[in-house]
Amino acid sequence: MSAEIVTELADGVLRLAINRPDKRNALTVDMYAQLGDGLERADTDPAVRAVLLHGHQRVFCAGNDLADFRNPPPVTPGEERPVHRFLRLISTVRKPLVAGVTGSAVGVGTTMLLHCDLVYAGPSARLQLPFVNLGLVPEAASTLLLPAVVGHQRAAELFLLGEPFDADRAVALGIVNAVVPDEQVVETALATARTLAAKAPAAVQLTKRLLRQGRAEAVARQMAAENEHFSAQLRSPEAAEALAAFAERRPPDFSAFHE
Ligand code: COA
């Protein structure tokens, strides 16, 4: 069986490739753990000077595995959940992070991009933040980071309506650097990561730190608040209806719910 997260170090670039195309690269607990291990390695291994994150040519990442949402795997009390560890690490990793996106990037598939330093996308990219459609709330501090980049009204549109948007719109919004042909997305992101890997490492990492440090505490606080609401909503009848609807391939019916 091939690895669901392919991890490979070459020329100072640690590649983390999401590789579960039959389930549209939806992330399971194990996959979050492996992505977390990769990000931890990025910061502890001096041979890593940049990180490249990409998916499969047809799909970047369909978000959290919805089956895991319906039947959450048990957690050891006091232990950080792999998803929370991944989000903590992607928001704090010292090494520069370059992403290449083709195909769908849904939920955390989009919110993780807000933590990347450079993002390239192909015309096939379809980003989407359907948390509300699933009876959930956004995560990854995206309720802080997205309005900071795109403004309140556009963030509200993307979160509350949850419609997909393409790479051109993502560039216009400021969450993707450039659109390149699909077949060149990974090589463009890799070439950029190699360029970063060849630069003075302390200067690169200090600059990344300075770009983020003004909001680092606010990001951690927002993530904690989102995680609390997310866990509560995940146990709600609203999410139960939305997740059952996805499994049964029918539209959800929220008409019976009152807040
Ligand atoms: N979790 C678990 N399985 C998922 C999944 C997810 N997030 N997204 C897709 N899959 C699975 C489907 O259940 C299906 O499995 P099956 O072949 O065993 O029935 C397979 O991946 C293919 O999905 P399908 O919907 O037929 O693919 P598509 O190419 O037509 O559409 C997406 C791709 C990503 C647009 C669509 O799958 C989708 O919207 N997925 C849900 C995304 C989502 O809401 N994520 C959570 C965000 S918080």
Side-chain angles (χ1 to χ4, degrees):
M1 202 177 84
S2 61
E4 291 178 335
I5 303 295
V6 178
T7 305
E8 176 186 290
L9 175 63
D11 305 325
V13 176
L14 184 70
R15 176 197 295 263
L16 300 175
I18 309 171
N19 180 39
R20 194 192 177 208
D22 57 322
K23 293 290 181 185
R24 302 303 184 263
N25 280 358
L27 297 176
T28 60
V29 171
D30 275 354
M31 292 163 77
Y32 282 120
Q34 289 172 55
L35 287 169
D37 290 347
L39 292 169
E40 211 161 65
R41 175 176 174 195
D43 271 356
T44 51
D45 184 346
V48 178
R49 293 163 74 114
V51 181
L52 167 68
L53 185 62
H54 67 86
H56 187 268
Q57 196 163 14
R58 282 181 290 112
V59 61
F60 178 69
C61 171
N64 200 100
D65 188 290
L66 291 172
D68 279 2
F69 273 165
R70 290 189 87 187
N71 302 299
V75 271
T76 317
E79 208 168 89
E80 189 179 31
R81 285 174 189 269
V83 57
H84 294 163
R85 173 171 168 261
F86 165 69
L87 294 177
R88 174 175 59 77
L89 290 167
I90 200 168
S91 67
T92 56
V93 64
R94 289 183 296 114
K95 308 286 169 77
L97 194 44
V98 184
V101 181
T102 46
S104 292
V106 188
V108 72
T110 287
T111 58
M112 71 170 83
L113 302 176
L114 300 170
H115 297 281
C116 294
D117 300 296
L118 290 147
V119 181
Y120 299 94
S124 69
R126 287 287 172 281
L127 287 73
Q128 190 180 7
L129 298 161
F131 299 98
V132 167
N133 301 348
L134 291 166
L136 298 171
V137 298
E139 33 62 319
S142 57
T143 51
L144 178 75
L145 297 173
L146 190 64
V149 180
V150 307
H152 173 85
Q153 279 77 7
R154 284 188 289 197
E157 178 195 337
L158 299 175
F159 281 136
L160 296 179
L161 298 179
E163 300 291 338
F165 54 103
D166 66 12
D168 286 333
R169 177 132 201 248
V171 170
L173 288 167
I175 57 182
V176 162
N177 289 81
V179 183
V180 297
D182 282 328
E183 57 283 6
Q184 288 169 27
V185 167
V186 172
E187 76 187 62
T188 302
L190 175 61
T192 306
R194 282 196 181 126
T195 301
L196 292 172
K199 289 184 185 288
V204 167
Q205 288 170 41
L206 284 168
T207 301
K208 172 165 174 155
R209 190 202 297 178
L210 288 164
L211 278 166
R212 293 198 309 194
Q213 75 178 15
R215 57 168 192 240
E217 280 176 24
V219 164
R221 265 199 313 275
Q222 192 82 0
M223 242 183 227
E226 290 170 345
N227 291 347
E228 211 168 293
H229 290 299
F230 195 102
S231 299
Q233 278 302 113
L234 200 50
R235 294 190 297 270
S236 72
E238 293 182 359
E241 164 58 12
L243 295 170
F246 178 81
E248 293 158 20
R249 295 186 177 260
R250 62 167 172 84
D253 176 5
F254 299 116
S255 60
F257 301 122
H258 305 281
E259 61 74 42

